[in-house]
């Protein structure tokens, strides 16, 4: 059994997000005003511009490393560390093993993890997936209140049905409805979409 809450860090530096760390109020500006302010910051703060360039370089290097690993399908869409951790958890399981992992919702819908989902459905199953919305920060203090989280239990080599529930917006709602999971056979679930 493996249990984890891997990092969800994107391997892409967003210019406006970088500068917003150092310039309060930048996120609230119109796109035109924000770009003008960033251009001025690049002139006024060459030390931060160098830091941005360094972060971009490290991000590109990490991306190359991740894409050269045994993680089929990665590189479609935005790449984040949770994708590699998802694959690695699957690869470490032996037959009849299980892992429980906390992932961003995009791990169960994004193109970069479609092959991972396909592999699990064909060689095991999603025994239990609960979607949580971080309303009022009831799940995690550090992430935005509208962010969706998936609690996943995956098994290898056994299981014929996918079970999932939610989204739950509070601990009370989660506890009250936790047993109300939708169940579908893996074969039926495969027909719902091309990307599982």
């Amino acid at each position: 059994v493996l249990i984890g809450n891997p990092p969800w860090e994107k391997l892409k530096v967003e210019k406006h997000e970088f500068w917003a760390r150092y310039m309060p109020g930048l996120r609230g500006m119109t796109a035109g005003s924000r770009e003008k302010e960033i251009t001025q910051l690049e002139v006024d703060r060459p030390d931060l511009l160098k830091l941005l360039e360094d972060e971009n370089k490290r991000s590109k290097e990490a991306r190359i490393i991740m894409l050269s690993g045994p993680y089929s399908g990665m590189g479609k869409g935005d790449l984040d560390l949770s994708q590699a951790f998802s694959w690695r958890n699957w690869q470490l399981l032996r037959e009849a093993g299980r892992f429980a992992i906390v992932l961003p919702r995009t791990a169960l819908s994004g193109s970069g993890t479609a092959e991972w989902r396909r592999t699990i459905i064909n060689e095991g199953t999603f025994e239990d997936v609960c979607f949580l919305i971080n309303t009022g920060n009831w799940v995690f203090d550090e992430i935005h209140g509208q962010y969706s989280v998936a609690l996943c239990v995956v098994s290898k080599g056994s299981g014929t049905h996918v079970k999932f529930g939610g989204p739950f917006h509070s601990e009370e709602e989660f506890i009250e409805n936790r047993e109300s999971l939708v169940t579908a056979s893996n074969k039926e679930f495969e027909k719902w979409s091309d990307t599982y």
Side-chain angles (χ1 to χ4, degrees), residues 19 28-29 68 146 161 191:
W19 287 106
M29 295 179 178
S68 66
Q146 293 177 324
H161 288 77
K191 296 175 187 175

Side-chain angles (χ1 to χ4, degrees), residues 66-173:
M66 299 285 281
L67 292 175
S68 66
Y71 312 122
S72 183
M74 281 183 48
K76 298 173 185 166
D78 286 339
L79 185 63
D80 74 58
L81 293 175
S82 71
Q83 295 171 346
F85 276 84
S86 298
W87 266 115
R88 194 64 185 134
N89 272 266
W90 175 255
Q91 293 163 350
L92 289 171
L93 285 185
R94 61 179 165 203
E95 198 70 18
R98 287 189 174 100
F99 71 78
I101 191 169
V102 180
L103 294 170
R105 179 172 174 51
T106 55
L108 297 170
S109 60
S111 59
T113 48
E115 186 61 35
W116 172 74
R117 294 188 302 273
R118 180 177 291 114
T119 299
I120 290 172
I121 293 297
N122 289 326
E123 299 175 23
T125 197
F126 288 95
E127 281 189 17
D128 191 326
V129 176
C130 281
F131 296 106
L132 312 176
I133 307 290
N134 198 39
T135 307
N137 297 90
W138 76 277
V139 184
F140 293 110
D141 290 333
E142 313 84 41
I143 63 173
H144 193 276
Q146 293 177 324
Y147 205 83
S148 295
V149 176
L151 307 178
C152 302
V153 177
V154 173
S155 65
K156 191 175 220 177
S158 64
T160 58
H161 288 77
V162 176
K163 295 179 187 173
F164 54 94
F168 303 113
H169 293 266
S170 68
E171 184 177 5
E172 296 78 25
E173 185 181 1

